[in-house]
């Protein structure tokens, strides 16, 4: 599954709604011109047709059923197709931030179990797939804006049997006596989501509010931050009345990791987040290794 009739023509370099500066007819005309150019290109019949894709496999302890101390008794394997060519799109590869967030989620499975989860800028979908297959989310929406990325993301969901399509050659579970069932009770889908308030409002009408929103290595420029928080603010469930005095206020949480090279200062992320009523406390920041304060997981909550 590579296309959806509701997808709009948008690529990563458009940077959030810039495509609105052109009309639909302009886009259609441009697409036709691109197609004509491609048809007129000479073909080298001797060129090597290398497969641009690699396959990554990750194995995690099964946390679906509340067994936080699984100790490896049951393992689930996630299969992801990716590309190493960043010139195609940054969303076609597994980035370090998603691996960091997955480690956090495996160590804190209660954050996901039974929750409605949305991954924005999902790329190849590692965190969303893990939430669905390993952590027992009630529903998972894996989203991206880039059409090319969405095609690969939907392919990865099929590889992991999350879109009702599977292959006997691409099993998602370990082939040992500890094999876990490949069936997934989690409701999953992969719609397009371009960041920004107006599109988030439309998205909410179809998919509702979410308990947990995930974002990893998807903010490269400052221009992206405000549309991101507009989206999060619109789609995350509101803070509930709670007098217990702890951080778990019953409202939604936004988990954010940015380990990649970025020209957007973290201070700007925090400042804009604050404008929308979000803050990430130092007490909830999570690091992979004790004493190593690089690439933390930020837990954003509404503070007003």
């Amino acid at each position: 599954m590579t296309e959806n009739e509701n997808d709009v023509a948008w690529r990563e370099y458009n940077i959030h709604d810039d495509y609105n500066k052109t009309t639909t007819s302009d886009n259609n005309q441009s697409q036709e011109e691109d197609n004509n150019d491609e048809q007129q290109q000479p073909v080298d019949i001797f060129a090597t047709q290398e497969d641009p894709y690699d396959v990554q496999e990750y194995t995690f302890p099964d946390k679906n059923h509340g067994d936080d101390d699984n100790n490896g008794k049951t393992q689930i394997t996630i299969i992801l197709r990716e590309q190493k060519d960043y010139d195609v799109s940054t969303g076609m590869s597994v980035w370090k931030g998603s691996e960091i967030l997955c480690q956090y989620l495996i160590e804190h499975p209660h954050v996901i179990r039974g929750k409605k989860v949305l991954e924005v800028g999902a790329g190849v979908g590692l965190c969303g797939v893990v939430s669905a297959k390993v952590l027992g989310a009630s529903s998972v929406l894996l989203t991206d804006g880039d059409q090319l990325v969405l095609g690969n993301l939907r392919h990865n969901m099929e590889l992991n049997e999350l879109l009702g399509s599977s292959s006997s050659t691409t099993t998602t579970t370990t082939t040992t006596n500890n094999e876990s069932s490949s069936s997934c009770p989690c409701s999953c889908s992969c719609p397009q989501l371009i960041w920004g308030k107006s599109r988030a409002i439309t998205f909410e009408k179809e998919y509702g509010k979410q308990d947990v929103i995930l974002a990893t290595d998807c903010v490269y420029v400052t221009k992206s931050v405000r549309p991101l928080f507009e989206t999060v603010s619109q789609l995350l469930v509101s803070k509930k009345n709670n007098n217990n005095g702890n951080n778990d206020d019953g409202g939604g949480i936004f988990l954010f990791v940015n380990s990649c090279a970025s020209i957007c200062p973290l201070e700007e992320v925090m400042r804009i987040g604050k404008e929308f009523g979000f803050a990430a406390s130092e007490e909830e920041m999570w690091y992979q290794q004790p004493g190593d304060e690089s690439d933390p997981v930020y837990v954003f909550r509404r503070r007003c």
Side-chain angles (χ1 to χ4, degrees):
M1 180 182 295
T2 59
E3 296 183 359
N4 184 296
E5 61 181 8
N6 295 321
D7 293 349
V8 299
W10 194 90
R11 291 300 310 281
E12 181 180 19
Y13 48 73
N14 294 134
I15 308 296
H16 311 296
D17 285 335
D18 282 358
Y19 72 96
N20 282 330
K21 296 178 181 178
T22 61
T23 64
T24 301
S25 60
D26 289 339
N27 285 337
N28 292 338
Q29 180 179 356
S30 176
Q31 184 63 51
E32 292 174 0
E33 292 171 354
D34 289 344
N35 291 340
N36 290 335
D37 288 342
E38 291 176 2
Q39 293 172 3
Q40 295 172 7
Q41 293 299 317
V43 177
D44 182 0
I45 62 174
F46 300 105
T48 301
Q49 300 298 319
E50 295 183 357
D51 186 352
Y53 294 103
D54 293 324
V55 174
Q56 291 268 26
E57 291 191 5
Y58 296 84
T59 301
F60 300 96
D62 185 354
K63 301 287 186 176
N64 275 289
H65 306 294
D67 183 8
D68 292 350
D69 297 318
N70 190 336
N71 295 323
K73 294 177 182 177
T74 306
Q75 301 287 315
I76 296 178
T77 297
I78 302 300
I79 301 173
L80 298 174
R81 185 179 73 172
E82 67 166 353
Q83 279 185 315
K84 292 297 186 181
D85 185 0
Y86 297 154
D87 292 338
V88 175
S89 172
T90 58
M92 295 293 287
S93 300
V94 177
W95 287 79
K96 180 182 177 182
S98 63
E99 295 176 331
I100 292 172
L101 183 55
C102 277
Q103 183 179 341
Y104 168 85
L105 294 176
I106 291 296
E107 294 187 16
H108 303 81
H110 64 279
V111 171
I112 297 295
R113 189 180 301 122
K115 304 293 180 59
K116 297 177 65 177
V117 178
L118 165 66
E119 184 174 10
V120 298
V124 300
L126 177 59
C127 295
V129 173
V130 168
S131 295
K133 294 285 290 187
V134 179
L135 299 172
S138 64
S139 67
V140 174
L141 298 170
L142 292 97
T143 69
D144 209 287
D146 190 299
Q147 281 185 302
L148 180 64
V149 174
L150 278 172
N152 189 61
L153 181 56
R154 289 164 183 159
H155 176 83
N156 282 337
M157 293 183 72
E158 290 178 345
L159 283 180
N160 292 281
E161 302 179 4
L162 296 177
L163 285 179
S165 175
S166 63
S167 169
S168 60
T169 61
T170 54
T171 179
T172 61
T173 56
T174 54
T175 56
T176 70
N177 292 331
N178 294 327
E179 183 171 323
S180 175
S181 172
S182 62
S183 62
C184 178
C186 177
S187 170
C188 302
S189 58
C190 185
Q192 185 181 44
L193 177 58
I194 301 169
W195 300 347
K197 184 175 179 62
S198 62
R199 293 189 178 277
I201 291 174
T202 301
F203 190 90
E204 182 189 355
K205 290 177 181 178
E206 182 166 358
Y207 298 102
K209 299 281 189 183
Q210 305 297 310
D211 300 312
V212 183
I213 297 180
L214 314 175
T216 65
D217 288 342
C218 55
V219 173
Y220 305 95
V221 293
T222 304
K223 187 177 181 180
S224 301
V225 179
R226 187 170 298 277
L228 172 61
F229 274 103
E230 287 177 347
T231 302
V232 171
S233 180
Q234 184 66 39
L235 296 178
L236 195 64
V237 295
S238 298
K239 179 177 179 179
K240 299 177 182 178
N241 293 328
N242 188 314
N243 297 317
N244 60 17
N246 61 27
N247 286 322
D248 187 5
D249 55 22
I253 60 172
F254 171 41
L255 300 176
F256 177 82
V257 182
N258 207 54
S259 68
C260 64
S262 172
I263 62 173
C264 175
L266 178 62
E267 292 77 13
E268 191 68 4
V269 175
M270 296 298 180
R271 184 188 69 79
I272 295 176
K274 187 175 181 180
E275 287 185 22
F276 287 87
F278 288 93
S281 67
E282 292 187 6
E283 292 79 7
E284 288 193 283
M285 289 170 60
W286 182 87
Y287 303 95
Q288 281 186 294
Q289 301 293 336
D292 181 4
E293 297 188 358
S294 62
D295 305 326
V297 175
Y298 294 94
V299 182
F300 282 93
R301 299 180 186 271
R302 283 191 171 91
R303 301 301 183 186
C304 61

